[in-house]
Amino acid sequence: MPETLLISLYEALRHKKSANLDAKHICDTVIQKLASKHNAILTTDQIKKASYDILRRYDKVAAALYQATHTN
């Protein structure tokens, strides 16, 4: 599962020279944020929302790309 998130974040960050590193750090941040909630089960929507919120604070273009590819 973390691999899927990492790839998804990388795709949104591809326009940056540091996309690989940025995607890894943001993936780690998303996982930490979700783990801190102590939920036994995480839904796809929770993961998408946390990812989008973190991306939005980091890079608005990446957040828009992520949101465009992850709509229901």
Side-chain angles (χ1 to χ4, degrees):
M1 166 59 185
E3 298 83 16
T4 305
L5 177 59
L6 180 62
I7 292 167
S8 181
L9 293 169
Y10 172 78
E11 290 295 321
L13 291 158
R14 272 195 330 202
H15 65 281
K16 299 180 69 68
K17 288 184 180 182
S18 58
N20 287 337
L21 188 59
D22 293 347
K24 173 71 172 121
H25 288 298
I26 292 171
C27 184
D28 291 344
T29 303
V30 169
I31 291 169
Q32 286 177 346
K33 180 178 180 177
L34 293 171
S36 71
K37 295 185 180 200
H38 303 293
N39 291 345
I41 298 173
L42 292 171
T43 66
T44 303
D45 287 337
Q46 289 173 310
I47 296 167
K48 285 189 228 180
K49 182 172 179 358
S51 299
Y52 173 76
D53 289 345
I54 292 167
L55 275 174
R56 189 181 67 221
R57 283 185 258 134
Y58 178 72
D59 184 314
K60 292 193 185 309
V61 172
L65 290 169
Y66 182 87
Q67 187 176 39
T69 58
H70 291 85
T71 55
N72 293 352

